[in-house]
PDB file of all heavy atoms in Angstrom:
ATOM      1  N   ARG T 605      52.585 210.696 149.147  1.00  0.00           N
ATOM      2  CA  ARG T 605      53.630 209.898 148.485  1.00  0.00           C
ATOM      3  C   ARG T 605      53.036 208.706 147.761  1.00  0.00           C
ATOM      4  O   ARG T 605      53.502 208.310 146.688  1.00  0.00           O
ATOM      5  CB  ARG T 605      54.662 209.434 149.516  1.00  0.00           C
ATOM      6  CG  ARG T 605      55.497 210.551 150.117  1.00  0.00           C
ATOM      7  CD  ARG T 605      56.653 210.003 150.922  1.00  0.00           C
ATOM      8  NE  ARG T 605      57.324 211.040 151.687  1.00  0.00           N
ATOM      9  CZ  ARG T 605      57.146 211.255 152.977  1.00  0.00           C
ATOM     10  NH1 ARG T 605      56.320 210.467 153.673  1.00  0.00           N
ATOM     11  NH2 ARG T 605      57.788 212.232 153.595  1.00  0.00           N
ATOM     12  N   ARG T 614      46.642 211.513 136.871  1.00  0.00           N
ATOM     13  CA  ARG T 614      46.409 211.571 135.426  1.00  0.00           C
ATOM     14  C   ARG T 614      44.918 211.526 135.117  1.00  0.00           C
ATOM     15  O   ARG T 614      44.438 212.240 134.234  1.00  0.00           O
ATOM     16  CB  ARG T 614      47.141 210.429 134.722  1.00  0.00           C
ATOM     17  CG  ARG T 614      48.651 210.573 134.717  1.00  0.00           C
ATOM     18  CD  ARG T 614      49.291 209.631 133.714  1.00  0.00           C
ATOM     19  NE  ARG T 614      49.039 208.241 134.049  1.00  0.00           N
ATOM     20  CZ  ARG T 614      49.810 207.511 134.840  1.00  0.00           C
ATOM     21  NH1 ARG T 614      50.885 208.058 135.397  1.00  0.00           N
ATOM     22  NH2 ARG T 614      49.527 206.243 135.089  1.00  0.00           N
ATOM     23  N   SER T 623      36.186 218.836 131.410  1.00  0.00           N
ATOM     24  CA  SER T 623      35.274 219.833 131.968  1.00  0.00           C
ATOM     25  C   SER T 623      35.478 221.190 131.307  1.00  0.00           C
ATOM     26  O   SER T 623      34.514 221.874 130.939  1.00  0.00           O
ATOM     27  CB  SER T 623      35.486 219.940 133.482  1.00  0.00           C
ATOM     28  OG  SER T 623      34.616 220.914 134.051  1.00  0.00           O
ATOM     29  N   ASN T 646      32.476 231.372 133.698  1.00  0.00           N
ATOM     30  CA  ASN T 646      31.204 231.061 134.337  1.00  0.00           C
ATOM     31  C   ASN T 646      30.751 229.655 133.954  1.00  0.00           C
ATOM     32  O   ASN T 646      30.272 228.883 134.801  1.00  0.00           O
ATOM     33  CB  ASN T 646      30.150 232.077 133.920  1.00  0.00           C
ATOM     34  CG  ASN T 646      28.930 232.056 134.802  1.00  0.00           C
ATOM     35  OD1 ASN T 646      28.859 232.794 135.782  1.00  0.00           O
ATOM     36  ND2 ASN T 646      27.968 231.214 134.491  1.00  0.00           N
ATOM     37  N   VAL T 686      47.915 202.899 163.507  1.00  0.00           N
ATOM     38  CA  VAL T 686      47.233 204.122 163.098  1.00  0.00           C
ATOM     39  C   VAL T 686      45.735 203.864 163.219  1.00  0.00           C
ATOM     40  O   VAL T 686      45.222 202.974 162.534  1.00  0.00           O
ATOM     41  CB  VAL T 686      47.575 204.509 161.652  1.00  0.00           C
ATOM     42  CG1 VAL T 686      46.811 205.761 161.253  1.00  0.00           C
ATOM     43  CG2 VAL T 686      49.065 204.734 161.488  1.00  0.00           C
ATOM     44  N   LEU T 726      39.682 239.765 128.963  1.00  0.00           N
ATOM     45  CA  LEU T 726      40.630 239.004 129.783  1.00  0.00           C
ATOM     46  C   LEU T 726      41.671 239.968 130.352  1.00  0.00           C
ATOM     47  O   LEU T 726      42.575 240.419 129.658  1.00  0.00           O
ATOM     48  CB  LEU T 726      41.307 237.914 128.953  1.00  0.00           C
ATOM     49  CG  LEU T 726      42.433 237.116 129.635  1.00  0.00           C
ATOM     50  CD1 LEU T 726      41.980 236.561 130.968  1.00  0.00           C
ATOM     51  CD2 LEU T 726      42.919 235.997 128.723  1.00  0.00           C
ATOM     52  N   PRO T 751      29.177 214.143 152.846  1.00  0.00           N
ATOM     53  CA  PRO T 751      28.470 212.957 153.363  1.00  0.00           C
ATOM     54  C   PRO T 751      28.624 211.730 152.461  1.00  0.00           C
ATOM     55  O   PRO T 751      28.875 210.622 152.952  1.00  0.00           O
ATOM     56  CB  PRO T 751      27.010 213.423 153.447  1.00  0.00           C
ATOM     57  CG  PRO T 751      27.088 214.898 153.576  1.00  0.00           C
ATOM     58  CD  PRO T 751      28.268 215.307 152.756  1.00  0.00           C
ATOM     59  N   PRO T 783      13.096 226.628 146.316  1.00  0.00           N
ATOM     60  CA  PRO T 783      13.544 225.693 147.361  1.00  0.00           C
ATOM     61  C   PRO T 783      14.991 225.238 147.222  1.00  0.00           C
ATOM     62  O   PRO T 783      15.570 224.727 148.180  1.00  0.00           O
ATOM     63  CB  PRO T 783      12.577 224.503 147.212  1.00  0.00           C
ATOM     64  CG  PRO T 783      11.343 225.092 146.619  1.00  0.00           C
ATOM     65  CD  PRO T 783      11.848 226.157 145.680  1.00  0.00           C
ATOM     66  N   GLY T 801      20.598 232.567 138.973  1.00  0.00           N
ATOM     67  CA  GLY T 801      19.295 233.197 139.177  1.00  0.00           C
ATOM     68  C   GLY T 801      19.100 234.485 138.415  1.00  0.00           C
ATOM     69  O   GLY T 801      18.004 235.064 138.444  1.00  0.00           O
ATOM     70  N   ALA T 814      22.279 229.725 151.619  1.00  0.00           N
ATOM     71  CA  ALA T 814      23.295 228.837 151.051  1.00  0.00           C
ATOM     72  C   ALA T 814      24.353 228.490 152.089  1.00  0.00           C
ATOM     73  O   ALA T 814      24.766 227.327 152.202  1.00  0.00           O
ATOM     74  CB  ALA T 814      23.945 229.501 149.838  1.00  0.00           C
ATOM     75  N   VAL T 831      30.095 208.327 163.892  1.00  0.00           N
ATOM     76  CA  VAL T 831      29.229 207.211 164.278  1.00  0.00           C
ATOM     77  C   VAL T 831      29.335 206.006 163.350  1.00  0.00           C
ATOM     78  O   VAL T 831      29.029 204.879 163.774  1.00  0.00           O
ATOM     79  CB  VAL T 831      27.748 207.659 164.366  1.00  0.00           C
ATOM     80  CG1 VAL T 831      27.592 208.793 165.348  1.00  0.00           C
ATOM     81  CG2 VAL T 831      27.213 208.059 162.994  1.00  0.00           C
ATOM     82  N   ALA T 838      36.120 194.240 160.105  1.00  0.00           N
ATOM     83  CA  ALA T 838      36.247 193.218 161.140  1.00  0.00           C
ATOM     84  C   ALA T 838      36.276 191.821 160.525  1.00  0.00           C
ATOM     85  O   ALA T 838      37.070 190.960 160.912  1.00  0.00           O
ATOM     86  CB  ALA T 838      35.091 193.336 162.131  1.00  0.00           C
ATOM     87  N   ARG T 840      37.255 191.040 157.543  1.00  0.00           N
ATOM     88  CA  ARG T 840      38.514 190.857 156.811  1.00  0.00           C
ATOM     89  C   ARG T 840      39.644 190.528 157.791  1.00  0.00           C
ATOM     90  O   ARG T 840      40.495 189.685 157.508  1.00  0.00           O
ATOM     91  CB  ARG T 840      38.828 192.131 156.031  1.00  0.00           C
ATOM     92  CG  ARG T 840      40.007 192.007 155.125  1.00  0.00           C
ATOM     93  CD  ARG T 840      40.151 193.276 154.323  1.00  0.00           C
ATOM     94  NE  ARG T 840      39.285 193.275 153.160  1.00  0.00           N
ATOM     95  CZ  ARG T 840      39.659 192.840 151.974  1.00  0.00           C
ATOM     96  NH1 ARG T 840      40.872 192.359 151.792  1.00  0.00           N
ATOM     97  NH2 ARG T 840      38.826 192.864 150.953  1.00  0.00           N
TER      98      ARG T 840
END
Side-chain angles (χ1 to χ4, degrees):
R605 292 191 190 101
R614 290 195 297 271
S623 180
N646 195 92
V686 178
L726 174 52
V831 302
R840 187 175 277 268

